[in-house]
Amino acid sequence: MAPLPIKFTELLQLTNVGIAPASIGFNSCTLESDQYVCIRQKLSDDASPEVIIIDLKNDNNIIRRPIKADSAIMHWNKQVIALKAQQRTLQIFDLAQKAKLKSATMNEDVVFWKWISESTIGLVTDSSVYHWNILNPSENSPQKIFDRNNNLAGCQIINYRTDADDKWMVVVGISQQQGRVVGSMQLYSRDRGISQAIEGHAAAFGTIRLDGAPADTKLFTFAVRTATGAKLHVVEVDHQATNPVFQKKAVDVYFPTEAVNDFPVAMQVSLKYSVIYLVTKYGFIHLYDLETGTCIFMNRISSETIFITAPDADASGILGVNRKGQVLAVSIDESTIIPYLLQNPANSTLAVRLASRAGLPGADQLYQQQFNQLLSTGNYVEAAKTAANSPRGFLRTPETIERFKALPAQPGQLSVILQYFGMLLDKGSLNKHESLELVRPVLAQNRKHLLEKWLNENKLECSEELGDIVRLHDLNLALAIYLRANVPQKVVAAFAETGQFEKILPYAKQSGYQPDFTSLLQHIVRVNPEKGAEFATALANEEGGPLVDIDRVVDVFQSQNMIQQATAFLLDALKDNKPEQGHLQTRLLEMNLLNAPQVADAILGNEMFSYYDKPRIAQLCENAGLYQRALEHYEDPAAIKRVIVNTQQLNPDWLVTYFGKLSVEQTLDCLNEMLRVNIRQNLQTVVQVATKFSDLIGPARLIDLFEKYRTAEGLYFYLGSVVNVSEDPEVHFKYIEAATKMGQFTEVERICRDSNYYNPEKVKNFLKEAKLTEQLPLIIVCDRFNFIHDLVLYLYQNQQFHSIEVYVQRVNPARAPAVVGGLLDVDCDEPIIKNLLASVNPASIPIDELVSEVESRNRLKLLLPFLEATLASGNQQQAVYNALAKIYIDSNNNPEKFLKENDQYDSLTVGKYCEKRDPGLAFIAYQKGQNDLELINITNENSMYKAQARYLLQRADPEIWAFVLNGNNVHRRALIDQVVSTAVPESTEPGKVSIAVKAFLDADLPSELIELLEKIILEPSPFSDNGSLQNLLMLTAAKSDKGRLMDYIHQLNAFNAEDIAQMCIDVGLFEEAFEVFKKVDNHVAATNVLVEHIVSIDRAQEYAERVELPEVWSIVAKAQLDGLRVSDAIESYIRAQDPSNYNEVIEIATHAGKDEDLIKYLRMARKTLREPPIDTALAFCYARTDQLSELEDFLQATNVADVEASGDKAYEEGYHQAAKIFFTSVSNWAKLATTLVHLEDYQAAVECARKANSVKVWRQVNEACVAKKEFRLAQICGLNLIVHAEELQDLVKQYERNGYFDELISVLEAGLGLERAHMGMFTELGIALSKYHPDRVMEHLKLFWGRINIPKMIRACEEAHLWPELIFLYCHYDEWDNAALAMMERAADAWEHHSFKDIIVKVANLEIYYRALNFYLQEQPSLLTDLLQALTARVDVNRVVRMFEKSDNIPLIKPFLLNVQTQNKKSVNNAINDLLIEEEDYKTLRDSVENYDNYDPVELAQRLERHDLVFFRQIAASIYRKNKRWEKSIALSKQDKLFKDAIETAAISSKPDVVEELLRYFVDIGSRECYVGMLYACYDLIRLDVVMEISWRYGLTDYTMPFMINYMSQQASAIESLKKDNEERKTRETSQRTEEDNTPILGGSRLMLTQGPAQPNGIAPQPTGFRGF
């Protein structure tokens, strides 16, 4: 049987990558191309929906996105997804960029959509068809294309297709009519704007190029299955007048007889092969030729419906997804389709056409025969057409061209060869040989424009030979050909010849070709220097590294004296600054320092290079006057000192920076040298350097340097620049010293004032010794460092009172107290001090310090005039008032008035001052300043409780109250007595009294608080009706004296009843709370207290009967219900007419079994509420009380009951009749069926199960029917169960457990014909047959092996010992190893030779081969050779030989050994040789040892030389000769008198000694014939002297003479040849000497004057490899 013409592959199983079977369907799974499968999935109601994208071309990579949408379709090849939500909202997202591309909202539902091109989506709505270009920014919404026809009304749209030009569209829909699926299509022409209604199920567009047509023909194909038959139609659309007319095709589509309901579901056209792929619902695939409509192939590829298809990327095949989740791919098998078609002679024309059209193998022989026949009959045009259309162009060869060229031209017609080329040009492009043959005559006719046209149309195959031909006519055109042919050396040469130098390097880089760039550059530089520089730069800057030696490039430029170009080139080439380029950097700088120093200076200034020879460049820079660059490169200290003194030619800023590169010692040496050489010129620079590097060098060393040359100016300017940032005391002191010497007193004053780092003692002493005329620096130092006494003493002793005044007035008035203290210490006169104080602004003097200084010396009254004057001047400083208060207190000058009326003094300070002097004055001061703690302490110490109580009440500060009421306060009781008896009765401010009360409360003084509150509430007072105080009184009583609370409730009326009642509840005073609520007529709250706190339901019921309020009855009812007094509770709820608590009432009454009472309550509740729980409970109460008639009436009436839940509950509790009523009323067939099973109404249960169509229901009904042996009904249920694979096992176990084996087999056999029959059913049937009917197993396997789970069936067959069936399964499961082993192990039952041969060659385990050989050796030795013939290519021959040698059975495998001897294996050769020796077959043995040399020759020869037969000894001699054991071979030959063999051996040996020995032997035995034979055979190996000796000694001259004559003749010829060669050599040597004597030593002329122009730099021009231009 020939191989199938298709390739069928399963690309993916969706269920293996986490796709639920329920998500695999037409509405949830989309396949727009061969790249992406898109699935919408929601695993459960609680799970989040997601979109799963599987990239088939990226190792099945899975992308999951949490997207909720009605539909999702992926772009053909981009990560762009289109989403549809709510049937109208459309969105396009780019998943790779994570961006939304477009969105739109339709006015009507979109019922179908798909990608129809790379950029466009087609949308079908209920009334119209739209296109939406997602890449067109201006197209924001879908554009309407046409309206739908009426023939699509009521159809499910399953496809929408357009042609490649977007001019023809077709919408495909299906509908159910008269028991079959009818297909309806609308074909629409965009150009004509008209539609046509067509009956059809699947359609597609395609194109085909007909014979002789200049353009493609557009075709529309569709398939339809009607009630009478099925047809495939192929028709032409948009016919072009220049094309031949395509005849409409209508062919029958075959459907198997069992596929009654099958119909086409998908169609794709392969543009590559012009083949139609047609897929049907039942998984059949049909292949039709697009041009003829001929059926190529038909077979079933899927047992499940393929619900969606798409073409593959190269338009050669089709992809599809079936309901099992298999992603299947089908395409034409190029290697088998033509042979497949040729099996049927009727398809030979189709095979030839298909092979020609698609370039397929298999029809080459037919084409060749046809071509030869046409040529032989003179039909040259058809022969040319045949060659032009041959598959894969196998006839388009140089031989064919030569045959056409040799044909005679027809009169009045083009030559055959030109017609042939014309056909090829119309068909496509020419190959290399065809292009060459066509171009030659075209160029000969100077029709170059045709060549250009063909090249532009890619009609010619470019090659080097073609370019060489064209080059002679047009260089640019040849360049284009070289480029296309990828001939780099010719392309580069052409670029150079045409002056396109800039294109050379990009091309070389692109093509990977590396020409001789140096020679090329020399040529370009001579022709165009500027272009040469650019080219050199490009070569040097190549990314992968320079393509040319930079040194060579520089040599080229210098040879032309192109310094500027060389510089530009090197600057660019050396920009990376690499160490290995150091010599080039040096060369660049040398070149410019010698020729253009400014350029070198600029290069160095840019700091581009780091690896050049710095000493060499430094010397050149110094010679060129570039001192700065020289210093940058010098490292020798002596050279640096030599150059650095030229400061007049150095940039000062740079020079300062340069010193940063030197070491400290070098810097000091250079600075010293600069000062030594020219201090006037270099001092400023030295100061700048010293300033900048002061921290590095050290101020001390720099100071020493300046002092060395006695330059105070330098020291002053240096230190002046660093003193502000230095923390060195010596620097600051030296600067003060230098500034003093320079007369810069202002600077001295500034440093003394601002610096924090000098030694004050040292500076003070220096300034004292300096005797400055102005003492301000000294004053500043003493003021800053608190040398006031020293300053005052110094100034006072030197009578410089004016300086003291200056200090106090101008420098620091704040130091006046210290100055006054100092003057007092030196016993200065008071008038001087008073005058000094009077001269100072009082606001600038710290009065506190002044008072302290004077007070410490008991001279406080000294300040009274100053203080009064200060106060009179408007100074309001607190210290002034404090001092005056102290003076008034000490002098008793009416201090009470001052303390009470004045607010400016510090009460704390003055109070402290008064405590020991007068506590009353201290109280006034503390009260004035609200110094609470101090006031409390002074009043406690002096028993001033009444004043303290009044102060506390007036102060009204809770913190102060808490402090004094603290239990640790020993004065608390005395204070409380004064508060209760005096302070509170005197007060009229409720707020302050409330604060006092709260303080008592916070201090936890309940008794005292009650005492206080009764005094102000129960006794007539302004606070008697204060509700807050009443609340507080009751609260306090509740906490500390509960017995008084009931009296307070009856006596007081202003309290807050709600708060008091809640407080009573909180503290457990429930009766008091009840009395409060009852007093204010709050009946609901009172009832709650009785129910919840007093817990007296009877009192609550009595109270409810007394007040008779519905809300009170509701509370009582709830309490009764909680107390499980159900009947009373229901009666109370009815009296309250309150159905609100129906849930709890229903639950408790149901548990209590109070169904009758509950019915009353629920009827009351239904009057005002329509709630499902109420109606549901009422219905179930009817069921529980067996009021079935009332239940039926209730369900028939209007209600909102949850009937299904009631039915479930009734079913669970065993009320099956009621459950039947419930389920019947809601038509819940599934649960009704289960209920009927319990009622034993099986027939009705099956009918309900059929209506419910639920797996669970079918299972329950089936189990019940089986249990009751209702097998007919059980089989009906079982057939609906076994189509679900997960149910099959349980059903099988149930039947087997009950022993109903035949019934089980009957169910499974009946299920095989179902549309949803699956692999599990076939497998379980096979297993059941293996257990209970083993004789039927093989028949079952042969029919259905392709649909059986073979591994599972294999286990069943093993358990049942069904060996032939087991081997059958192994073979069909490709388990060849197990099949072979099983056949050998069970040979009696399963072995068959031909089958075993077919199996054994397919096994994978090599050991099985050898087990099979042993098996045959033991069981079937006569067939062993046949088996070995099949295994020859697979077994290890050496191992086979060893195995049979071990068992001594080598003769059995002699044919095998002879067959494999061509492998020349040693073991085989030895075995064959041993066998042949044993059989004495010397002829075969001779052939063996001559043809196969892999054996032990010595060992074999030794065995043979002892053989009795001479033939074997002759073979031994031959073996010795073959192995160069000449003596042994000759000895054997001499022994058997085989002299011819001995002579041949001697001649072959090429050893003179062997030959001479054998020659003498023949002379010795007198064999003159052998002697002559030796002279002839060994002519070249016998020395003349030996022959002459033997001939003379033994008288053999006559026999020797022919040898002698021939020898002398050859000797004469050799001498003559040598003589001739010697004469010719002498002639050549003479001629050569003459030529050398006449040739000049240098060049082509003897005189250098005539030698030609000298080459620059002595470099001769180098050859470029290009001819001159």
Side-chain angles (χ1 to χ4, degrees), residues 248-308:
K248 179 180 178 181
K249 306 294 187 301
V251 297
D252 292 332
V253 178
Y254 171 74
F255 283 93
T257 55
E258 67 272 14
V260 178
N261 297 321
D262 198 8
F263 61 89
V265 294
M267 181 183 292
Q268 302 289 347
V269 175
S270 170
L271 299 180
K272 181 177 180 181
Y273 304 115
S274 295
V275 169
I276 302 170
Y277 293 93
L278 177 65
V279 179
T280 70
K281 178 185 178 182
Y282 283 9
F284 287 91
I285 189 165
H286 301 247
L287 273 67
Y288 293 90
D289 178 51
L290 180 63
E291 181 179 4
T292 62
T294 305
C295 181
I296 299 175
F297 176 74
M298 190 275 284
N299 205 341
R300 191 171 191 177
I301 61 172
S302 173
S303 60
E304 298 288 339
T305 300
I306 298 177
F307 58 86
I308 190 167

Side-chain angles (χ1 to χ4, degrees), residues 995-1019:
I995 292 173
V997 171
K998 187 176 185 306
F1000 275 80
L1001 185 64
D1002 294 340
D1004 194 21
L1005 301 171
S1007 302
E1008 290 81 357
L1009 181 60
I1010 290 174
E1011 180 184 351
L1012 176 63
L1013 292 175
E1014 285 183 344
K1015 189 172 184 64
I1016 62 177
I1017 293 175
L1018 298 181
E1019 296 180 6

Side-chain angles (χ1 to χ4, degrees), residues 37-85:
V37 180
C38 186
I39 305 101
R40 294 184 300 107
Q41 179 167 281
K42 186 176 181 181
L43 297 178
S44 65
D45 294 339
D46 299 330
S48 300
E50 60 180 346
V51 172
I52 304 171
I53 303 162
I54 304 174
D55 190 343
L56 300 176
K57 293 189 176 180
N58 187 17
D59 197 22
N60 295 332
N61 181 47
I62 299 177
I63 303 173
R64 296 178 182 266
R65 293 289 186 271
I67 298 173
K68 183 178 181 181
D70 298 335
S71 178
I73 54 177
M74 283 294 293
H75 188 273
W76 289 353
N77 48 41
K78 299 178 182 176
Q79 286 195 19
V80 173
I81 189 170
L83 301 174
K84 180 178 68 174

